[in-house]
Amino acid sequence: PNSHSLARSLALAGCARAGDSYVANMITVALLALSLASSALAQQLSAQMTSLLLLRGAIDGNGALSSWNPTTDMCTAWEGVTCDGAGMVTGINLQDKGLQGQIPLDEALWTNLSTLQNFNVANNALTGFVPPQMSVLKDLEYLSVGSNQLESVLPASWEALTKVKGVDMSGNKLYGDLPAEWSNLASLQALDLSENNLSGAIPASWSQLSALEAASLAGNAQLCTDNPNAGADPSVPVYYGPCDATSPQLPDINPDYPPVPAPTPAPAP
């Protein structure tokens, strides 16, 4: 009996040691995972700061973004930048800052800023191309580049922005056809392409934009010439066709825009 008791005691002690070892191993694994996650987040935040500084270098020639200093907190000290609880950048609002230059065409820069939900650089003096590379911004909801001097085609690649609700590209020098691919913008509610140099046909596929509530193609003379009967579409509550000279600011185009009364829908042709 004594030998049996001793064997049992030894077995129980072995199980206890094994259990303690298992628990210790699990704690070590958990701490390692936490450390890796923290390291990955730190790398993401560093990459976002670097991309913001590159953006500043490309479009801030007058020092308007002097607060964008790498020695300060980009979420609390950088003008126009907003972040989520984890410190990831969700908004860039640089409207009316006197910015000049080309919005970066660097896909890696935009990939680092893939948490963006609102990008607003309206009412500046930006020039050059509209970046097709911004199609990597899968979480983007509002995109405003209106009232600048951008001169390019509309990027077909933006069809990938399936969460976008409002797009304002009005008051630029955009040219070329309306991309049929934009029919994939399933969340699009407001679209302002007024006062540009667009041409060609209005894509039949755009009838698939089931969420669209307000749109303007006004002030596109060539688009009107190519579509002489393209007036207001009664299927869209607020729709200004290319043959309309101007249109008011559309409602809900961007949450950073001051609220305005909803414009009266244009009459059916």
Side-chain angles (χ1 to χ4, degrees), residues 101-225:
Q102 164 73 61
I103 301 173
L105 301 172
D106 182 355
E107 183 170 331
L109 181 153
W110 297 113
T111 300
N112 290 336
L113 295 173
S114 61
T115 52
L116 266 180
Q117 297 174 9
N118 181 13
F119 181 71
N120 180 7
V121 290
N123 301 335
N124 286 289
L126 299 171
T127 55
F129 292 96
V130 174
Q133 295 83 357
M134 293 181 75
S135 60
V136 300
L137 300 176
K138 306 299 186 184
D139 290 334
L140 197 66
E141 296 183 358
Y142 298 96
L143 175 57
S144 300
V145 295
S147 299
N148 281 285
Q149 300 170 29
L150 301 174
E151 191 168 359
S152 77
V153 298
L154 302 178
S157 63
W158 282 12
E159 67 171 322
L161 302 177
T162 54
K163 291 185 180 181
V164 75
K165 299 176 182 178
V167 175
D168 179 10
M169 306 179 75
S170 63
N172 282 286
K173 301 176 182 178
L174 305 177
Y175 59 86
D177 295 344
L178 304 175
E181 294 86 351
W182 282 19
S183 61
N184 293 320
L185 300 178
S187 303
L188 187 63
Q189 298 174 6
L191 173 65
D192 194 345
L193 298 174
S194 64
E195 299 180 45
N196 280 291
N197 300 315
L198 300 169
S199 59
I202 299 175
S205 61
W206 281 25
S207 62
Q208 301 172 25
L209 295 171
S210 58
L212 192 63
E213 297 178 354
S216 178
L217 297 171
N220 284 280
Q222 186 61 51
L223 194 59
C224 174
T225 301

Side-chain angles (χ1 to χ4, degrees), residues 2-17:
N2 290 338
S3 61
H4 289 308
S5 297
L6 178 60
R8 186 178 177 210
S9 297
L10 290 173
L12 290 173
C15 290
R17 285 195 298 271

Side-chain angles (χ1 to χ4, degrees), residues 12-69:
L12 290 173
C15 290
R17 285 195 298 271
D20 291 344
S21 177
Y22 175 78
V23 171
N25 287 338
M26 292 304 297
I27 292 175
T28 300
V29 170
L31 290 174
L32 179 60
L34 183 62
S35 175
L36 289 174
S38 177
S39 176
L41 177 60
Q43 290 178 359
Q44 284 182 293
L45 295 177
S46 176
Q48 289 203 331
M49 176 177 284
T50 298
S51 291
L52 289 176
L53 291 172
L54 290 172
L55 176 62
R56 178 193 174 186
I59 62 177
D60 182 27
N62 62 5
L65 304 182
S66 58
S67 63
W68 289 27
N69 187 314

Side-chain angles (χ1 to χ4, degrees), residues 213-215 231-241 244 248 250-251 261-269:
E213 297 178 354
D233 183 345
S235 68
V236 181
V238 181
Y239 189 108
Y240 292 88
D244 295 312
L250 298 181
T264 302

